[in-house]
Amino acid sequence: MTRPALLILGGTSEAVRLAEMAVERFGTSLRIISSLAGRTTAPATPAGEVRSGGFGGVTGLRDYLAAEQISLLVDATHPFAAQISDQAATACTQAGVPRVVLERPMWPQEAGDDWRIVADATEAARTVGSLVAEDPTLGVLLTVGHNDLAQFAGIAGGRWVVRTIEAPDDVRPDATVLKQRGPFQLAGERRLFEQHGIGVLVTRASGGAATAAKLTAARERGIPVVMIDRPPSPPGPCVDSVGQAIAWISGRMENR
Ligand code: NAP
């Protein structure tokens, strides 16, 4: 008889940890399949089976759930990967596959933080544009997603540092590009801010320990952080740790 399968929608460090723990805990009774979008070169390889590339929208994902006899799905994608999360919610409802969202908690704001929370990259670019207009030599550290970089390309002035995992296409030609992948330690972040004279940090409200040190570095320097707010959480049940996701899978296995 074919073993039932757990599908983990991944692309995050939490998804990699979840796959590892799920293989350890349930590997004999459950196929563990991680799905990656296939955007980054040399992504961390999760334990268990791995598939890569889009499914082809809701219909494609629904067909995949049926073909692979997926009996449980954990959406452990990045909080800003809204499209795949919405599609997973719809496909699972249509296919009757139980689904949970593993959403990492947002970073807490602390005393001394100067966060300017904005709705999207357009508003972030407007906010940074005003700061650069006041001080054309301002050092700006951009740690936003690939897709959002173009928004900042037209701002006149400023000294720009862009940190991304993959070499970006739409980056402003005068930017210093740092092709780096977290986790980032506080000592390194302090050095980076100091070396480039960073006066404003632009980031998305991603949460997670791997990239939290930049917020401490910004707080210590007393500089503003332009924080792009998260899109709304996907509908349905949600857990905020890998341990809770394992408990959810365990509960579902017992009820089978
Ligand atoms: P998105 O906008 O929500 O999704 C765009 C399309 O990419 C989806 O419609 C789907 O294609 C495909 N896709 C996305 N995640 C997939 C997955 N795990 N497995 C298979 N197909 C997937 O996603 P995104 O923001 O571009 O992010 C892509 C991936 O990178 C996600 O897995 C996410 O966890 C990871 N990631 C994203 C960010 C971020 O800032 N957005 C940061 C770190 C990691 P089809 O419609 O063809 O199925």
Side-chain angles (χ1 to χ4, degrees), residues 122-176:
T122 311
E123 202 185 328
R126 254 202 313 273
T127 307
V128 177
S130 314
L131 293 170
V132 170
E134 283 166 23
D135 174 6
T137 65
L138 189 70
V140 185
L141 175 59
L142 273 187
T143 61
V144 299
H146 228 74
N147 302 340
D148 290 339
L149 288 173
Q151 300 275 358
F152 300 86
I155 299 173
R159 293 177 298 99
W160 296 78
V161 179
V162 173
R163 184 162 70 189
T164 61
I165 293 178
E166 296 294 316
D169 305 322
D170 297 326
V171 72
R172 36 187 309 142
D174 61 352
T176 301

Side-chain angles (χ1 to χ4, degrees), residues 176-231:
T176 301
V177 176
L178 306 174
K179 197 166 158 273
Q180 295 171 347
R181 188 195 294 264
F184 299 104
Q185 307 303 322
L186 181 56
E189 298 296 59
R190 283 180 180 138
R191 251 193 326 272
L192 170 70
F193 280 60
E194 188 57 37
Q195 189 185 344
H196 294 276
I198 298 302
V200 60
L201 165 68
V202 188
T203 184
R204 294 179 305 173
S206 302
T211 54
K214 62 188 172 189
L215 300 169
T216 307
R219 186 183 314 124
E220 287 175 357
R221 285 176 78 83
I223 64 169
V225 176
V226 178
M227 179 75 70
I228 303 173
D229 209 359
R230 288 182 177 187

